[in-house]
Amino acid sequence: MRGVHGVENAENDDACSGAFSSHEGNGIEMTASAEDAERSQLELSPEEMLALASRASELLVARISGLSADPPWRGGTREELEPLLRSAAPEQGRPAREVLDFAAREILPRASRVDHPRFFAFVPSCATWPGVLADYMSSGYNVFQGTWLGAGAPSLIELVVLDWFREWVGYPETASGLFTSGGSAASLDAFVAAREAAGGPERPSVYMSDQSHTALSRAAHIVGVRPEYVRKVKSDGRFRMDMAELARAVAEDRADGLTPIAVCANAGATNTGAVDPMPELADFCEAESIWFHVDAAYGGFAVLTEQGKALLRGMERADSIAMDAHKWLFQPFEAGCLMVKDVRRLESAFSVEPEYLQDTQWGPGHPNFGDRGLQLSRSFRALKVWMSIQTFGVAAFRRAVAKGMELAERAEVYAIESELLQVANPASMGVVCFRFNPRDSGLSNEELEAINKAVQAKVISTGTAMTSSTRLRGLYSLRFCILNHNTEWTHVRETLEAIERFGQEELAN
Ligand SMILES: *Cc1c(COP(=O)(O)O)cnc(C)c1O
C-alpha cells in the first residue's frame, strides 16, 4: 500500500514509475499486480498526480496570459451545448489527462470571462493567482472548517482575516463573523441574527431601498418575512434611500402591528454604485431600535482607499456588514463574508449543540464557525484572502481598488466630453451609467432605447467587450462596472469609442 509519508512514497517510487512509464504519463491504468488489485481504484500515483497538476497549471496559465486576446464572453444556448456536452456517466474511466483536456477545451471556455480586462458587465471578478492556488491547497488538504477541533489553525486564520476586515471597516474588537459563499448567504445569516435580536416576532418586516440587490429580498423572505413586508423604500434623485420615506414606512408598519427587524443600506448599489446615507440610517436605527445591516457586497473593500472610506462613513455603526472578497478583493468565487458588530448575537442566533458534536466544544476563544451560520461542512475560504494579502501586501490591493474608481471617473469625463454620449448616472464606486445620445439629437426615449439596445448587442457580438444594461428611472442605460485590477484606460476608452461608432452606425440605418 502506498503511505502518506514521504519515505514510504519514496520506497514505492520504482514500482509506481515503472507502471507509469508504460503509459507515458497519460493514463490512469496501471499494470496489473497484486499491489494494484489491493489499491483503491480512485487513487493516482504521485507521478500521475504531479503530471496532471502540472498540465492543469499549464492550461490555466495559458488561459490567463492569453485572456485579453480572447473575447470577454462566450456561451451558448441549451440547444448548442447539449450535443457537445451531454453524456451518460461512464461505467469505466478513461485517461485522466484526456478528461482534464476535455474540460479545459470544451467546458470551461464556454462561459463569461468575468476576469477579462474588458468585462464591464454585472460585477466583474478577477482572481489573483495565490487566491486560486489557496482554493486548490485547501481542497487538497480537504480542510473541514466547521469546528475548531476540525480545523484549529485554519480557524485561527479565518479569525485573523476577519480581524483585518474588522479593522479596515472600523469595527470594534467585539466584531467578528464568518466567510460565506457570497453576499446572499451573508445577508441571510445577518437577517437570522436580526430576527432573533428582535425576539423572533410573528409579523416581521424589513426595509431596503428600491435599488437594493434582489439577494436581500430573497434572504428576508427565507427568514420568514412575507414578500409584501419586504419594503422597497423609494430612493432619491441620486438613487439613495429617502430617509423621510423610510420613516413613514416604518411608522405605518408599526401601526399595522408589524415588527421591523432590519433596515438595510447599500454601500455600493449594484445598479449605480449609490451609497445610502449611512450616518442618518445609523441614527434612525438607533432611535427605533432596529438592526442596521449594510450590504457592502461589492463596494465594501473600497474602505481600503481614502475616497472609499469617506464615501462609506457610518458603515462602522451598522450591526452587520456583508462583503464579497470575490468582487473587489480579487478572489475566486466563493468568498463572501459577514461581520456582526457583536458576534455573540450571531452565535446565539445559530448555536445548537447536538450530542454528536459534544467533543467539539472547546470553550471561549475557540469558535466553531459552524455555529455562526448555516453551514457545518465548510471550506477554508479565508485562506485565499490570507495568501493573496500576504503575497502582494495591502498597499497593492489599495491601489487596485483605487484604480477601478479612477477608471469609472475617467469614463464619466469621457462621456461628458463626448458629443455622442450622455451620462445617466455619475461614477460612483467603480460604476458609471450612460447612453448613446448625440447632443441635440431630438430622439425620443423609445428611439434611444432601440439604438442603445442594438449597440449593447453589438458590443458583445463583436467581442469588443462585455457590458450590461440597466434601467434608471425607467430609462434604458448602459452600465460599466470597472473592478478588474488588469483593466487599463485603453480597454475602457476603446470600448467607449466602439459604442460611439456602433451608435452612429445604428443612426445611419
Ligand atoms: C453581488 C451582490 C450581492 C449578492 O452576492 P453574492 O455573492 O452573489 O451572493 C448582493 N448585493 C450586492 C450589492 C452585490 O453586489
Side-chain angles (χ1 to χ4, degrees):
M1 290 294 288
R2 200 166 298 143
V4 287
H5 301 293
V7 182
E8 289 167 67
N9 274 333
E11 280 170 3
N12 276 331
D13 261 354
D14 285 348
C16 293
S17 54
F20 184 65
S21 60
S22 69
H23 290 272
E24 289 160 354
N26 274 347
I28 57 166
E29 301 155 58
M30 307 281 288
T31 312
S33 73
E35 190 195 343
D36 290 339
E38 229 180 281
R39 218 180 58 217
S40 159
Q41 293 187 348
L42 301 180
E43 195 184 32
L44 298 179
S45 74
E47 289 78 6
E48 288 167 313
M49 286 162 68
L50 273 176
L52 202 57
S54 308
R55 176 66 183 158
S57 301
E58 224 172 79
L59 289 165
L60 269 182
V61 172
R63 182 235 175 228
I64 293 169
S65 333
L67 199 54
S68 61
D70 264 358
W73 184 85
R74 273 182 74 193
T77 62
R78 182 73 182 260
E79 289 71 24
E80 288 159 355
L81 296 175
E82 279 276 352
L84 295 169
L85 303 176
R86 168 77 58 186
S87 65
E91 191 54 34
Q92 301 301 326
R94 56 190 167 121
R97 178 168 164 150
E98 206 179 293
V99 177
L100 176 70
D101 283 354
F102 181 87
R105 195 178 59 243
E106 305 292 345
I107 305 174
L108 292 160
R110 292 196 162 89
S112 274
R113 285 101 202 241
V114 293
D115 49 351
H116 193 289
R118 281 179 278 113
F119 188 100
F120 305 126
F122 315 113
V123 179
S125 170
C126 184
T128 58
W129 187 239
V132 174
L133 291 188
D135 271 356
Y136 174 56
M137 295 301 284
S138 61
S139 289
Y141 277 80
N142 207 12
V143 176
F144 173 86
Q145 186 90 329
T147 61
W148 195 277
L149 173 81
S155 292
L156 182 59
I157 291 299
E158 184 155 348
L159 289 177
V160 167
V161 175
L162 288 165
D163 273 337
W164 294 349
F165 292 179
R166 177 177 69 68
E167 283 168 18
W168 294 350
V169 303
Y171 253 0
E173 278 181 21
T174 52
S176 191
L178 81 167
F179 274 79
T180 64
S181 56
S184 307
S187 303
L188 181 70
D189 292 348
F191 288 158
V192 173
R195 186 192 61 202
E196 296 311 301
E202 229 162 82
R203 296 178 66 215
S205 54
V206 164
Y207 305 79
M208 59 189 72
S209 97
D210 56 15
Q211 298 297 306
S212 289
H213 198 283
T214 48
L216 293 185
S217 10
R218 182 180 292 143
H221 190 193
I222 294 170
V223 303
V225 182
R226 298 304 312 155
E228 61 272 29
Y229 301 136
V230 178
R231 300 285 192 210
K232 312 282 170 51
V233 177
K234 221 179 76 194
S235 55
D236 66 15
R238 292 179 56 196
F239 300 100
R240 294 172 309 186
M241 176 101 80
D242 184 318
M243 290 304 299
E245 290 283 332
L246 171 66
R248 191 172 317 133
V250 167
E252 264 175 31
D253 289 350
R254 283 204 200 274
D256 285 347
L258 290 157
T259 307
I261 60 166
V263 171
C264 308
N266 291 311
T270 316
N271 238 357
T272 57
V275 178
D276 286 331
M278 291 194 282
E280 287 84 343
L281 282 162
D283 288 342
F284 177 82
C285 289
E286 240 167 62
E288 295 277 339
S289 297
I290 307 176
W291 187 282
F292 177 28
H293 175 66
V294 172
D295 180 11
Y298 102 79
F301 292 102
V303 288
L304 285 171
T305 68
E306 281 311 308
Q307 190 190 356
K309 206 176 195 90
L311 280 167
L312 296 174
R313 199 173 53 84
M315 178 162 79
E316 73 288 351
R317 292 179 58 195
D319 293 292
S320 54
I321 304 174
M323 308 211 289
D324 274 348
H326 59 226
K327 289 172 178 167
W328 227 349
L329 204 64
F330 315 112
Q331 300 306 316
F333 301 112
E334 306 171 348
C337 160
L338 172 68
M339 278 184 294
V340 175
K341 188 184 238 162
D342 178 354
V343 72
R344 288 171 310 179
R345 300 172 88 179
L346 184 64
E347 288 178 336
S348 65
F350 276 99
S351 182
V352 278
E353 296 179 5
E355 296 81 358
Y356 49 80
L357 289 180
Q358 63 191 6
D359 302 329
T360 68
Q361 301 304 327
W362 280 32
H366 299 84
N368 291 328
F369 282 100
D371 286 341
R372 291 184 173 186
L374 174 71
Q375 278 186 287
L376 176 59
S377 298
R378 300 169 72 243
S379 64
F380 182 18
R381 299 182 177 105
L383 184 66
K384 39 193 161 187
V385 177
W386 187 87
M387 279 179 54
S388 306
I389 302 271
Q390 292 288 341
T391 304
F392 298 112
V394 178
F397 281 87
R398 185 173 292 123
R399 273 196 301 278
V401 172
K403 185 170 150 193
M405 285 194 273
E406 283 157 24
L407 289 175
E409 283 157 18
R410 268 181 97 166
E412 179 194 345
V413 170
Y414 184 100
I416 291 170
E417 289 172 353
S418 165
E419 298 280 317
L420 301 171
L421 303 177
Q422 178 191 25
V423 175
N425 196 63
S428 175
M429 309 277 276
V431 174
V432 60
C433 298
F434 59 92
R435 61 179 181 173
F436 177 82
N437 183 11
R439 221 162 273 179
D440 311 316
S441 71
L443 293 163
S444 70
N445 283 330
E446 288 71 30
E447 289 165 318
L448 286 169
E449 178 162 338
I451 293 172
N452 278 277
K453 275 182 174 161
V455 168
Q456 153 76 1
K458 206 156 175 181
V459 168
I460 299 170
S461 67
T462 53
T464 305
M466 179 66 190
T467 53
S468 58
S469 65
T470 188
R471 231 169 244 290
L472 300 177
R473 306 255 173 270
L475 295 186
Y476 184 91
S477 167
L478 303 175
R479 170 186 169 280
F480 277 21
C481 182
I482 311 175
L483 306 188
N484 182 329
H485 56 95
N486 287 322
T487 297
E488 302 294 339
W489 172 240
T490 37
H491 298 120
V492 180
R493 196 200 61 228
E494 284 167 10
T495 307
L496 290 165
E497 287 167 357
I499 287 172
E500 292 176 322
R501 205 166 54 244
F502 296 154
Q504 284 178 305
E505 287 167 15
E506 281 306 312
L507 261 189
N509 281 342

